[in-house]
Each structure stands twice: as structure tokens, then as C-alpha cells.
Amino acid sequence: TEKQYFADGWLKDNDLHYHIGSIESFRSAMLVAAANGQTGRFPASYTEAIRRMVEVEKYLIYPNYAIYNAADGDYNYSTPNFGDTRPTSWTRNILLRHMRNYRDLFPDDEELKWLASQGAEGKMPPTGIKCFEDGGHYTVRNGWTKESTMMVLVNAAQSPQEAWHRQWDNNSFELYVNGRQFFPDSGVYSYNSGSSDRNTYARTDNHSTLTFNKMNVSSCRGVCRLAEERTDYDLLVLENPSYSGLTHRRSVWFVDDRFFVILDEGYGTAEGTVNLNFLLLPGESSEVVVDTDRNGAHTAFADGNNLLVRTFANKAVTTATRTGNVSLKLDNATTRKAYRIDMEKSADDAAARFITILYPTADAASETVEASFVDEAFSETSARISVTVGGQNYRLSYTLEPKN
């Protein structure tokens, strides 16, 4: 287990698709041993390693794992699409069977009982933040039922040269709200190593994260600087030394269990164009709208499950629409809308700073949100911002320990 998995339970290949499949291999070995009276051949460390592997799957599945059956054209899938995951492989029946298998393997685990029984017995797992720092994946959620909200972020310490399933995607995210995935990861499309399609989907600017001069990041050494749970918000501060002279710090507040605020700071001496990329979900032109004049986007789905996105910056920016793609199944892709916010950064600018509000609401087109910097100057150890959402003002901040 130590050769294939990190200490936190993540597969070193860094692909959830293979991660889930590999658990079955280890579990089957234990079942065969038990059937032949050889359980004692497995040390306790082996069993506990499987428990940690299961924790990854448990926390990475979306709250609709027991509701929807993923099918072609259904973007309410139940697993993130980072790397090579191919979420159409994980249907309702398969994921529920896994939870039941894990419950039987670990009968003392009340949370697995809850997941396996769809809440009929056991104890619901905790909400808030879950960090898998070795594997570089982080989740923030307010619940475990279909109506819940959940964000998954990836900020790994491996590059595509070190782990074949990795992409140049550090500090990217997916956002699930009430069964809808608003920022599905682009996926992989092709399984052919080195193909132009695979390389295109792996590019940094095909993920919802920050780039410099539209280039791939040159370093994937993601770290978590802070994970904090409070009564008024949950906070993650993730950082990656993305380029020579430009580090990307992404701070995410989940405020009142209702909406997200993302502070992106590209800091360092680099001079050029800093790009903030967002890739939206597929939808009709009337359902998914890029608002270039407001540096954002909104959705207008008839079911009232919608999202308002607005970005505010510390310098002048320009916003341009893009065409993106999302692939949930090998050799299949669907076109979607995307956009890029550009800021010119001089060598004298300490940082390019962007505040983005992600506000789930029924009628996004009619909502207004605002954000500004309380601390005008960038600091390597702190930030204070002000946001107004739903007519209420919020002061958000972080304070970091200095780097060693």
C-alpha cells in the first residue's frame, strides 16, 4: 500500500478513477484471505491503509452520488473530473455498492453506514473542510444530501512529468450546488500519451485558475497555507509557485454556508499579463451568459438553481469570452462557454489581485454584489477584503504564519 498510496490515502497516480478501482483490488485480497482462514497474514496497517483510501472516495464524491445515474449528456455527475477521472464511469448503483462494501469491511464506521443506507442509519459525516494534502485535493461542503453545496479544489505537489494522470491544473476547482455542477473540470478527452488533444485539455488555461501570459504553469508544488473552520465561514488558503517570479495564492471563503468568495493573488516580480480563467458548464445561450462588461457571468436555468459570478480587481482589467470544452467520457466532448480576465502587471506591482464572488441564487440576473480591498497593499502574510452580498456586508480576512 505504501508504494501505491500517499499517507493521506490518495493514490500516487493522482487519479480518482484508478484510485477507486485500486481499492477493490486491496479489498478483494482481504476477502480471499478471510475465505481461506488467512486473515492474520494482513497486518493492521494494511487494513488502516484501506480505510484511508476509502476516506478519499467518501469525501470526493458529490452529494448526489445516490440520486443520479450518470449518462451521456447528464452533467449532474457524482465524482470530480480532474485528471483522468471519467465520471460517467461512476453511476449511482456502482457508488452505492462501494459504500455498502466499505460498510461491511469496516462495520464500526458509523459514517459509512450512513452513506451506504442513504441516511437511514449510522451517522452523517461532518461538513466543513476536508484536506488531503499529500494528494493535493481539498473539499468544502455544507451537507451530504443532494441539495447541498460542495467545492473541490486541486493543488497537488506533482507535475504531469511526475504523475501521468496529473494536469497543469493547480488551484483549479469544481463547484456543485443542488445537483448542478457549475464549473466542471475539462477532463482528459484522449488517453493517448503526448497527443495534441490530451495536451490541450491538460493546459492550465483550460482550468478555472490563474495563468501568466496564457502559459502553462512551470511548477506544480502546491501547498496548503491555512485551513480554518469558523461559525461564520470556512477558509482555505492554497498556494503554488506557478511561474518564475509569480506565485499564485488562492484563498477561498465559504460564507454562512451559502456562497463563496475567492481571492486570487499572483505575487512576485514577474512582468506581463496575468489571466484569471473561468470555464462554465454547458447550456443554452440563454441559460449560461458571460457578462464581459461586469467581469463575470450568470446562469438562468428555469429550475431556479443558478449562480452569479463577479470579479473585482486591484487594477484595471479586461474580460474576453472564450470557447471551452468539457469531456466526461474518452473521445467525447461538449462545447461550453468560458472567459478570461486579464490584468497588466509591471515588475513594480507587488501582486495582481482579484476578488471573485460565487453566489448561488434563484434569479442571478437581478442580483448585485460588490467587493473591495480593505488593505490596499499586498502582504505575504495577510489580507482583508469587504464583500456585499444580498444587501449584507461581510469583512473577510486571513493571517498566515511566515514561510520558513
Side-chain angles (χ1 to χ4, degrees):
T1 58
E2 293 180 0
K3 290 183 178 180
Q4 288 186 259
Y5 285 82
F6 292 117
D8 68 358
W10 254 103
L11 183 70
K12 292 182 179 179
D13 207 348
N14 218 280
D15 170 33
L16 187 63
H17 182 77
Y18 282 97
H19 178 102
I20 295 173
S22 296
I23 294 174
E24 285 302 291
S25 298
F26 286 99
R27 191 183 72 88
S28 296
M30 290 189 68
L31 294 178
V32 171
N36 290 276
Q38 300 296 315
T39 304
R41 290 181 176 271
F42 291 94
S45 60
Y46 182 92
T47 305
E48 288 308 305
I50 297 178
R51 191 188 293 269
R52 292 192 295 273
M53 301 172 198
V54 169
E55 281 282 284
V56 171
E57 182 177 348
K58 180 174 81 175
Y59 276 93
L60 265 291
I61 57 175
Y62 286 117
N64 65 344
Y65 76 98
I67 303 296
Y68 289 96
N69 186 17
D72 291 345
D74 181 359
Y75 289 92
N76 293 314
Y77 54 84
S78 301
T79 57
N81 200 34
F82 298 120
D84 231 28
T85 304
R86 304 196 292 278
T88 51
S89 301
W90 305 114
T91 65
R92 170 185 183 273
N93 290 339
I94 291 175
L95 289 170
L96 269 176
R97 184 175 72 239
H98 286 183
M99 293 302 119
R100 291 163 183 159
N101 288 341
Y102 303 153
R103 173 200 58 194
D104 296 342
L105 188 63
F106 302 109
D108 61 324
D109 193 316
E110 294 295 312
E111 295 174 7
L112 288 175
K113 286 181 184 178
W114 191 92
L115 291 166
S117 67
Q118 298 178 247
E121 59 183 58
K123 178 184 177 182
M124 187 180 74
T127 57
I129 297 172
K130 182 66 175 180
C131 300
F132 296 100
E133 293 191 48
D134 294 332
H137 286 71
Y138 305 82
T139 65
V140 187
R141 70 168 79 222
N142 65 4
W144 290 81
T145 58
K146 179 254 182 184
E147 296 78 14
S148 304
T149 298
M150 175 179 167
M151 179 181 282
V152 183
L153 298 104
V154 57
N155 190 39
Q158 298 164 293
S159 70
Q161 292 100 332
E162 296 165 305
W164 192 75
H165 293 285
R166 284 281 296 122
Q167 295 186 324
W168 301 102
D169 60 359
N170 270 16
N171 269 335
S172 186
F173 72 95
E174 291 193 343
L175 175 62
Y176 167 105
V177 181
N178 191 20
R180 178 161 287 138
Q181 172 50 277
F182 284 96
F183 293 90
D185 185 80
S186 293
V188 63
Y189 185 78
S190 173
Y191 210 69
N192 296 322
S193 181
S195 73
S196 60
D197 288 325
R198 187 178 182 88
N199 290 340
T200 295
Y201 276 74
R203 284 183 56 86
T204 310
D205 61 5
N206 278 327
H207 298 87
S208 294
T209 188
L210 185 142
T211 53
F212 181 62
N213 291 332
K214 296 184 284 189
M215 300 185 300
N216 277 346
V217 297
S218 56
S219 173
C220 291
R221 288 293 180 264
V223 296
C224 178
R225 297 291 304 275
L226 181 64
E228 181 181 32
E229 294 181 346
R230 301 179 13 157
T231 56
D232 50 348
Y233 60 70
D234 295 326
L235 168 63
L236 276 170
V237 181
L238 307 177
E239 195 166 275
N240 186 63
S242 300
Y243 305 92
S244 176
L246 195 77
T247 295
H248 178 203
R249 179 182 298 165
R250 170 161 276 181
S251 306
V252 179
W253 289 267
F254 187 28
V255 184
D256 287 347
D257 280 346
R258 292 194 305 119
F259 64 93
F260 289 87
V261 177
I262 300 176
L263 172 59
D264 286 296
E265 298 171 292
Y267 70 91
T269 59
E271 184 172 16
T273 306
V274 179
N275 330 107
L276 187 58
N277 305 278
F278 292 104
L279 293 100
L280 304 165
L281 74 167
E284 300 296 329
S285 59
S286 60
E287 295 174 324
V288 181
V289 182
V290 177
D291 305 310
T292 55
D293 58 330
R294 301 179 189 177
N295 304 319
H298 73 275
T299 66
F301 292 101
D303 60 7
N305 182 13
N306 289 300
L307 187 73
L308 176 67
V309 187
R310 292 287 184 264
T311 296
F312 307 85
N314 67 323
K315 285 185 64 177
V317 297
T318 58
T319 298
T321 58
R322 299 173 50 198
T323 299
N325 290 291
V326 58
S327 175
L328 304 181
K329 185 177 180 181
L330 289 178
D331 302 316
N332 284 265
T334 300
T335 301
R336 54 162 166 181
K337 292 182 181 179
Y339 64 98
R340 184 182 67 246
I341 301 173
D342 292 337
M343 178 191 295
E344 297 303 318
K345 180 185 177 302
S346 71
D348 294 331
D349 291 328
R353 308 176 77 196
F354 307 84
I355 303 170
T356 300
I357 298 173
L358 307 174
Y359 182 36
T361 181
D363 185 5
S366 67
E367 297 283 357
T368 300
V369 296
E370 298 291 339
S372 60
F373 294 92
V374 177
D375 293 328
E376 292 293 336
F378 168 75
S379 166
E380 291 199 18
T381 57
S382 65
R384 293 188 300 162
I385 62 175
S386 173
V387 301
T388 301
V389 175
Q392 182 175 348
N393 182 257
Y394 300 83
R395 291 295 183 100
L396 307 175
S397 64
Y398 69 73
T399 301
L400 307 176
E401 294 292 330
K403 293 181 180 179
N404 295 330

